[in-house]
Amino acid sequence: MHKKERTLAIIKPDAFESKCVGQIISVIEKAGLEIINMRLLRLSNNEASEFYSEHKSKPFFPDLIEYMTSGSVAVIELEAYNAVNLYRDILGATDPSKAAEGTIRKLFASSKQRNAAHGSDSTASAERELQFFFG
Ligand code: CMP
């Protein structure tokens, strides 16, 4: 038996700047993912650093934190059968130039950093990330 699964999406500050938040949510809903919970917030430096702690040693980390704290984000709990992989498929590759046609990042991202949205990369990450924002 398949079981419904949950995952975390974050709509990032560049999507708010380019005013495509609604269009991203529309892609998510059309893919059959159900919105269970959603919050609009502005991440602090500490929150962004803790959320992305696995990238702490990467050269892009300081820029990533600056960008993720530069404006509003929407954190969204999504549910579907196979939600983690389903959402990753419609999100597309981190680098928008490598993302498949029709994916969120192909449609709305402008660079590897300013890539419009985030998605949990595994069921374990989804659990940790949902706990982080929704307790
Ligand atoms: P996300 O899926 O949220 O996970 C980590 C984030 O770091 C990623 O999306 C990008 O915003 C950013 N990122 C990943 N790789 C790079 C890179 N090579 N250069 C700049 N930013 C990156």
Side-chain angles (χ1 to χ4, degrees), residues 12 52 55 60 64 67 94 105 112-113 115 117-119:
K12 298 185 177 189
Y52 279 123
H55 297 297
F60 60 78
L64 173 63
Y67 151 62
T94 301
R105 285 169 170 166
K112 269 189 266 189
Q113 178 186 81
N115 61 2
H118 165 85

Side-chain angles (χ1 to χ4, degrees), residues 118-133:
H118 165 85
S120 309
D121 63 6
S122 65
T123 50
S125 305
E127 227 167 88
R128 180 186 80 83
E129 293 179 0
L130 288 168
Q131 180 67 29
F132 187 88
F133 286 113

